[in-house]
Amino acid sequence: MLDAIDQDILKALGANARMSLKELALQVGLSSPSVAERLRRLEERDVIRGYTVQINPRALGYQFQAIVRIRPLPGQLQAVQKLIENTPEFCECDKVTGEDCFVARLYLQSLEQLDRILDRIASKAETNTSIVKAQTIMQRLPPLGTLQA
């Protein structure tokens, strides 16, 4: 699947996706053209889907995060999914198994904003909301050291 060099490339990019090709090549012990070729193959295999930036929501005025478990009422699954997709405060959403159908993350400027968003969903779904006190683990790569080449 992934050899040790591919894993090193992913770890390096996971720490700094803006790293130059030259810097990445030095870090993994290959030439720039070799690293470029490996990156191309990782992208083609859909191992690397993109390069991203992390933004601090608080710096943009979003003082609260909420995790919302959403259970659509009978026949409302598609309508609820559309509502979630069309509400920009929902920054992440997973369709899950179990009693709830969706688990979503909202970024909010105020708790009143949370009420307005949930009120739009209330006629179509039951919700259970938790306010995030701290994010103890930021999004990170899955373990790579255990993968077999």
Side-chain angles (χ1 to χ4, degrees):
M1 203 162 149
L2 295 176
D3 65 15
I5 293 173
D6 285 342
Q7 291 179 36
D8 289 345
I9 289 170
L10 293 176
K11 288 175 188 173
L13 290 174
N16 179 6
R18 291 189 56 175
M19 181 180 300
S20 72
L21 194 57
K22 182 179 178 181
E23 187 180 351
L24 182 57
L26 282 171
Q27 194 163 332
V28 300
L30 293 177
S31 68
S32 292
S34 294
V35 169
E37 177 60 24
R38 282 179 175 264
L39 286 173
R40 184 188 62 73
R41 283 185 291 183
L42 288 167
E43 290 167 358
E44 284 178 355
R45 291 174 36 211
D46 200 32
V47 174
I48 295 176
R49 291 186 172 172
Y51 303 84
T52 188
V53 62
Q54 288 184 352
I55 295 173
N56 178 359
R58 284 187 179 267
L60 300 175
Y62 295 97
Q63 300 303 311
F64 301 97
Q65 290 183 52
I67 305 296
V68 183
R69 296 189 343 252
I70 303 165
R71 182 183 311 154
L73 298 174
Q76 296 295 317
L77 181 72
Q78 297 301 322
V80 170
Q81 184 169 333
K82 275 275 193 244
L83 269 171
I84 294 167
E85 290 170 354
N86 293 327
T87 304
E89 291 84 0
F90 282 109
C91 294
E92 296 177 29
C93 182
D94 296 311
K95 196 172 193 177
V96 298
T97 61
E99 291 185 25
D100 303 314
C101 291
F102 302 102
V103 176
R105 181 180 298 267
L106 286 151
Y107 289 108
L108 305 158
Q109 295 172 335
S110 68
L111 293 178
E112 292 80 18
Q113 185 181 18
L114 175 63
D115 286 336
R116 287 191 302 271
I117 292 167
L118 295 181
D119 285 347
R120 292 196 309 255
I121 297 174
S123 65
K124 295 175 178 36
E126 295 177 4
T127 62
N128 186 305
T129 304
S130 299
I131 300 298
V132 176
K133 293 182 354 182
Q135 198 168 0
T136 56
I137 298 175
M138 299 298 288
Q139 187 177 30
R140 63 182 177 190
L141 297 175
L144 298 174
T146 59
L147 298 175
Q148 300 298 316

